[in-house]
Amino acid sequence: MQSKEFVREYSLFRKPNTQQIIINTEDDIKLDCLLIYANNKNEKGENLGKSQNLIIVCGPNLIPYDNLITSWDIDTLYSNNNIDLLLWNYRGYGFSEGSANFDNICKDVLSVYDYITSNYSYNKIGVYGFSIGGIAACHLANNRNINLLIADRTFSSTQEVLEQLYLGKYLIYFGKILLITFVDNTTNYLSAKCNKIMLNDVQDQIILDNISLKSSFAKHIIFKIFNDTNPEFNIRNIKSYNILDYALEPEQSAQIYNSFKYEH
């Protein structure tokens, strides 16, 4: 098995235009980060100058950023469009200290953002979160000045995920005993005051429909519209997560469209 030191050297060899950064959190944990600079040239080879834009990447579970840049080539799209990329490892991933949980993932992404804005001069900063990384990305977008949020195949809330997979209706009771932190990803996404992109996979086998951000977002829109016209409507009465199952009248469909267009 290859050591993480070998993997790191190989990653930096493949991506020479990088800067490794160590960020200290509020509780003095060191986070392993990597800043990938854009190639600064367009398709014609013309120099575009130093990038003024940055995307912070919050990766999926169990995948250090070394894997993202060697297996996914995640930086190519951004680099070719003169956008710098900041990747960071959750606690316990790569060379980051400690062990990760939902609470410190959300706190640590704020530390990453605060370090970048204090030490670098970017005009615009966006955040991309995939799977569990969507929780960190939405939290950041709702708590800092972010220009763009990309939520890629992520969850509705940590509570719904754990209810579905483990403890069911007893989760809240045991969660309080075990000091589990619940994160409402849907509220963070809706409340973020920035441009937003939500990405989904209709054949997703990991993020199931009933615990996905897309379904929770659809439920929120349905509730908003129906509650305005029917005070007795209750979001808990929704059993299906397919918005098409509700056979809305054209006027109601138009209301949903306009609500989404102008408010979200």
Side-chain angles (χ1 to χ4, degrees):
M1 179 178 293
Q2 297 172 342
S3 68
K4 63 181 181 181
E5 287 80 9
F6 175 84
V7 173
R8 175 56 49 83
E9 290 182 7
Y10 177 69
S11 302
L12 298 180
F13 172 76
R14 287 196 55 182
K15 306 292 181 182
N17 197 24
T18 59
Q19 177 188 356
Q20 189 172 6
I21 302 170
I22 301 298
I23 296 176
N24 291 321
T25 65
E26 291 184 352
D27 54 344
D28 203 29
I29 293 293
K30 291 181 172 57
L31 297 179
D32 173 23
C33 309
L34 188 71
L35 182 59
I36 303 178
Y37 293 102
N39 60 27
N40 307 127
K41 293 183 179 180
N42 60 20
E43 296 178 352
K44 298 180 180 179
E46 298 169 334
N47 196 310
L48 300 175
K50 184 179 179 181
S51 174
Q52 299 299 312
N53 304 311
L54 175 74
I55 293 288
I56 298 173
V57 175
C58 305
N61 191 26
L62 302 178
I63 301 182
Y65 68 63
D66 303 86
N67 297 71
L68 294 180
I69 61 177
T70 55
S71 301
W72 288 18
D73 247 359
I74 192 171
D75 60 301
T76 302
L77 171 65
Y78 299 102
S79 181
N80 290 343
N81 286 278
N82 202 32
I83 299 173
D84 291 350
L85 211 60
L86 190 283
L87 296 92
W88 63 289
N89 279 328
Y90 306 134
R91 300 187 186 203
Y93 291 47
F95 290 92
S96 289
E97 299 175 343
S99 58
N101 59 47
F102 293 132
D103 185 43
N104 60 42
I105 285 176
C106 289
K107 291 180 180 178
D108 290 348
V109 73
L110 301 183
S111 297
V112 170
Y113 175 90
D114 292 342
Y115 178 90
I116 291 298
T117 54
S118 297
N119 293 276
Y120 297 85
S121 299
Y122 286 104
N123 291 336
K124 294 182 179 180
I125 297 179
V127 59
Y128 166 86
F130 173 42
S131 190
I132 193 174
I135 293 173
C138 292
H139 181 78
L140 175 61
N142 190 31
N143 287 276
R144 292 294 188 271
N145 183 24
I146 291 293
N147 300 98
L148 173 65
L149 165 62
I150 305 174
D152 186 1
R153 291 162 286 178
T154 188
F155 303 100
S156 55
S157 71
T158 55
Q159 178 176 328
E160 287 192 353
V161 171
L162 295 175
E163 282 180 348
Q164 179 72 22
L165 300 179
Y166 301 108
L167 301 176
K169 64 181 180 180
Y170 301 105
L171 173 73
I172 296 178
Y173 173 74
F174 287 110
K176 291 179 179 179
I177 295 177
L178 299 174
L179 301 178
I180 296 175
T181 299
F182 300 125
V183 181
D184 186 351
N185 210 29
T186 306
T187 296
N188 279 328
Y189 181 86
L190 290 167
S191 301
K193 306 298 183 184
C194 64
N195 296 309
K196 309 169 196 177
I197 299 175
M198 187 191 303
L199 302 178
N200 302 287
D201 182 356
V202 295
Q203 297 181 333
D204 199 330
Q205 299 297 310
I206 304 299
I207 311 297
L208 303 179
D209 272 345
N210 56 343
I211 57 175
S212 68
L213 177 62
K214 65 177 180 181
S215 293
S216 182
F217 179 81
K219 286 173 61 177
H220 172 87
I221 298 299
I222 292 173
F223 175 70
K224 184 179 187 305
I225 300 303
F226 277 68
N227 191 54
D228 290 343
T229 58
N230 182 5
E232 297 180 359
F233 177 78
N234 191 327
I235 191 69
R236 297 185 180 276
N237 293 335
I238 296 181
K239 302 301 181 183
S240 170
Y241 290 84
N242 186 347
I243 193 172
L244 299 179
D245 289 344
Y246 291 90
L248 303 178
E249 296 296 329
E251 293 80 6
Q252 294 170 324
S253 298
Q255 285 181 298
I256 290 177
Y257 171 79
N258 289 328
S259 175
F260 174 83
K261 181 177 179 182
Y262 297 113
E263 296 186 18
H264 303 295

